[in-house]
Amino acid sequence: MKNLYWDTKKLDRRANEEFKMESLLLMENAARGMLEFLESRFLKQNPAFKILLVCGSGDNGADCLALARMLYGKYNVQVYLPLGAKSALCRIQKEILRNICSKTDSKWIYSDLVSFGDWEYDAWWDSLVLLKGYDIIIDGLFGTGFKGDFSCETAELIAALNSQDCIRIACDVPSGISRESTIDKNSGVFVFKADFTLTMGAHKIPLYEDKVKDYVGSIHLINLGVSEKIFAPDSLTKLLERSDFKVPERENKRSNKGDFGHLCVLSGEKQGAAVLSALAGLRSGAGLTTLWSEREIPSLPFELMQSREIPHNATALVLGMGLGRECALPKNLTSTQIPILLDADMFYHEYFKTLLERENIILTPHPKEFVQILTALNLETISVQELQDNRFSHVLKFSVFYPNVTLVLKGANTIIAQGWKVYVNPFGNNALSKGGSGDVLSGIIGGYLAQGYSPLDSAINGVLLHSFCAESYCKDHHNFALSPLDLIEQIGKLESPKP
């Protein structure tokens, strides 16, 4: 797991004060790291590539000016400085670059104008024409400190950059992304759409919000001259890695089905959802899987059992998928103390609040269902858009009030939370945007839960397994074609991650 942070400026200050690493040194290491990425990935194979660095007036722009200095003289590079140089570090880097370049190339920089307000529209439009014809464009306009709205001219610039047929790379954070920004289908056009984001020193939470999934591209961490472990101390918010996934492998050769738990899935109005969940739980390692239902389930798969009572030896319960909001529940549901996972219709059920008071409970809502949970518990009343604009804050609001509950908020980057601890799954796949995928996820997590994994470990491993199954399927199939049964089929084909 990697540590995640809202603001890494305090990490920079810590490096300044405790490690005596001056800001110019950190900037030099940032530029060097970007250079190494560019050379290893593109420039050694294509040294004639034309590179444009679009630099802002602050420290983000200064990083790119330092990179331009390292590229200059060896590669075909141009700098575009539309906002001037305002921060102290930006002015220093600009002056260094000017001194190096001025004797050999007076046209190394397209514009020195300090603000868009000094420009006539025609001159501004002519400058946009200069953006064409590059193989790589690097965005260094705004960093993590960006707040407010773009000017019309800046928005035009971002749109023009996004329209270029080239490789787009963001320095630290794509311009337009911030903690406060609302990014939807309309406003998103004014966010720099990166193929790669080279982020400095430590991983940043704003890069892993659902709303920016289409804009950050592949994220790479740039070392600032000290190991990530030292530069980025422990955080309560974590980024999950492939190595965090644990396959529920069976090690003891002398075992029987009872050694691997008994999962009970409650079925209601739409029985197919419960069947999918039960099949996923069985395929995920549960030794036995039973469907509870008051009525006969037609064409029940042979490997599943059915009962009108919760089995006495059940080790985990999963309910809510296709349940219906008026469906009756087992009489002993509120008295049993085995681990339980709630999904879908259970968030609208009258027993929801009662069940929430027990230990060992997991909730797996999608955004609309989580909004319902917050309303039902009188925590806050928000829209789905408001939730999506700031998922982490709303998740923490819930988890602080219900620290014993493990929450899985589904999405492009699913969030798992328990108390103050938050985990982010960056492996979300749009192939999972298909009815029934959530039912399969509940069954996978339930399968881990039935085998004795803790609620938190069940959630983490289940979410990762779910993502990796979709990823595995897409290696040989189109992403639009994935079905819930395809997901279940992929479960048995995954291997343990290599250390």
Side-chain angles (χ1 to χ4, degrees):
M1 297 180 186
K2 298 288 188 181
N3 291 311
L4 277 173
Y5 303 88
W6 277 116
D7 184 6
T8 55
K9 289 182 179 178
K10 59 183 178 182
L11 301 182
D12 293 339
R13 288 194 295 271
R14 177 171 173 264
N16 295 158
E17 297 167 4
E18 295 185 23
F19 307 150
K20 306 305 178 184
M21 297 179 71
E22 296 293 335
S23 295
L24 274 172
L25 175 60
L26 297 177
M27 187 166 285
E28 194 73 6
N29 289 328
R32 177 65 61 181
M34 289 192 287
L35 174 66
E36 290 173 354
F37 175 86
L38 287 169
E39 289 190 324
S40 63
R41 186 65 67 101
F42 304 111
L43 298 181
K44 286 188 176 178
Q45 298 84 0
N46 303 283
F49 265 6
K50 291 183 66 179
I51 307 165
L52 175 66
L53 294 102
V54 184
C55 305
S57 60
D59 290 353
N60 195 246
D63 286 338
C64 285
L65 289 171
L67 172 61
R69 183 220 322 145
M70 295 178 184
L71 291 166
Y72 183 79
K74 187 175 182 182
Y75 301 106
N76 188 350
V77 59
Q78 294 279 357
V79 171
Y80 186 35
L81 192 63
L83 298 172
K86 297 178 182 177
S87 77
L89 290 174
C90 192
R91 291 196 297 270
I92 290 172
Q93 294 293 356
K94 177 185 171 183
E95 188 64 23
I96 294 172
L97 184 57
R98 181 185 294 279
N99 291 337
I100 290 173
C101 302
S102 59
K103 294 182 179 179
T104 57
D105 185 0
S106 62
K107 296 182 179 180
W108 63 273
I109 190 166
Y110 279 147
S111 175
D112 266 339
L113 296 178
V114 297
S115 71
F116 289 120
D118 294 335
W119 296 12
E120 296 294 334
Y121 180 80
D122 290 341
W124 165 244
W125 184 251
D126 288 342
S127 69
L128 294 186
V129 175
L130 298 173
L131 302 179
K132 296 183 178 180
Y134 289 91
D135 299 293
I136 299 175
I137 290 179
I138 300 175
D139 162 39
L141 276 171
F142 303 99
T144 54
F146 172 75
K147 295 181 180 179
D149 298 319
F150 284 144
S151 67
C152 292
E153 293 87 353
T154 311
E156 278 190 65
L157 173 58
I158 295 294
L161 294 174
N162 287 340
S163 70
Q164 304 308 306
D165 183 17
C166 65
I167 299 162
R168 290 187 294 273
I169 299 174
C171 173
D172 203 26
V173 174
S175 291
I177 290 176
S178 70
R179 182 172 183 174
E180 296 81 11
S181 59
T182 296
I183 301 175
D184 55 27
K185 293 180 179 179
N186 296 319
S187 64
V189 71
F190 303 127
V191 177
F192 183 80
K193 193 169 186 178
D195 298 302
F196 301 90
T197 295
L198 309 183
T199 195
M200 308 304 168
H203 289 281
K204 299 167 180 66
I205 293 175
L207 294 177
Y208 296 95
E209 292 265 24
D210 270 27
K211 61 187 179 183
V212 306
K213 187 85 169 181
D214 288 320
Y215 301 96
V216 296
S218 178
I219 300 171
H220 298 264
L221 185 67
I222 300 299
N223 184 282
L224 294 183
V226 60
S227 75
E228 181 187 359
K229 184 177 180 180
I230 295 174
F231 182 80
D234 198 32
S235 168
L236 291 174
T237 305
K238 304 287 187 181
L239 180 68
L240 295 177
E241 301 178 275
R242 292 185 183 276
S243 58
D244 294 317
F245 172 56
K246 303 296 185 295
V247 175
E249 294 177 318
R250 300 181 173 187
E251 298 178 355
N252 295 332
K253 296 181 179 179
R254 191 178 66 179
S255 62
N256 61 69
K257 59 191 176 186
D259 293 330
F260 303 105
H262 189 162
L263 176 65
C264 180
V265 179
L266 274 65
S267 175
E269 291 179 2
K270 298 177 181 179
Q271 296 174 332
V275 171
L276 287 173
S277 187
L279 287 172
L282 186 67
R283 185 60 66 91
S284 299
L288 295 165
T289 304
T290 295
L291 275 168
W292 174 94
S293 180
E294 290 188 322
R295 52 197 172 98
E296 197 69 24
I297 299 177
S299 303
L300 185 70
F302 294 136
E303 57 265 48
L304 301 179
M305 300 180 289
Q306 182 179 352
S307 175
R308 287 183 169 85
E309 296 181 356
I310 297 176
H312 71 280
N313 61 342
T315 54
L317 296 178
V318 174
L319 66 152
M321 309 74 55
L323 184 68
R325 300 183 186 182
E326 304 298 330
C327 184
L329 298 175
K331 295 179 181 179
N332 61 336
L333 178 62
T334 56
S335 61
T336 181
Q337 294 303 309
I338 61 176
I340 187 169
L341 181 150
L342 304 181
D343 188 32
D345 288 335
M346 272 308 301
F347 306 132
Y348 300 85
H349 204 283
E350 61 178 332
Y351 280 114
F352 171 62
K353 292 182 181 180
T354 302
L355 292 172
L356 207 58
E357 297 172 358
R358 70 202 309 282
E359 299 287 332
N360 296 322
I361 188 167
I362 302 175
L363 310 183
T364 58
H366 58 53
K368 184 177 179 181
E369 291 164 349
F370 188 54
V371 167
Q372 160 61 24
I373 290 172
L374 294 174
T375 301
L377 299 176
N378 296 317
L379 292 178
E380 57 181 340
T381 301
I382 58 173
S383 66
V384 173
Q385 182 63 56
E386 288 172 316
L387 168 64
Q388 293 296 85
D389 284 343
N390 205 341
R391 285 161 58 92
F392 287 86
S393 294
H394 296 295
V395 162
L396 280 173
K397 179 169 287 190
F398 169 86
S399 293
V400 167
F401 278 94
Y402 294 89
N404 295 323
V405 175
T406 300
L407 173 67
V408 178
L409 177 58
K410 292 179 281 195
N413 289 329
T414 292
I415 298 175
I416 303 161
Q418 188 183 78
W420 286 98
K421 296 179 180 179
V422 179
Y423 305 83
V424 185
N425 170 36
F427 305 107
N429 191 310
N430 58 8
L432 293 168
S433 301
K434 189 72 68 80
S437 294
D439 304 323
V440 173
L441 175 61
S442 66
I444 291 173
I445 296 175
Y448 274 91
L449 203 59
Q451 292 172 78
Y453 287 77
S454 71
L456 182 58
D457 286 339
S458 297
I460 289 173
N461 284 294
V463 165
L464 289 173
L465 175 56
H466 191 243
S467 295
F468 295 156
C469 285
E471 184 179 82
S472 175
Y473 174 87
C474 290
K475 290 178 180 178
D476 301 310
H477 304 85
H478 289 294
N479 59 2
F480 64 81
L482 179 68
S483 76
L485 291 176
D486 292 326
L487 266 178
I488 295 170
E489 181 65 24
Q490 291 295 321
I491 293 174
K493 298 180 179 180
L494 293 184
E495 299 179 357
S496 298
K498 296 180 181 179

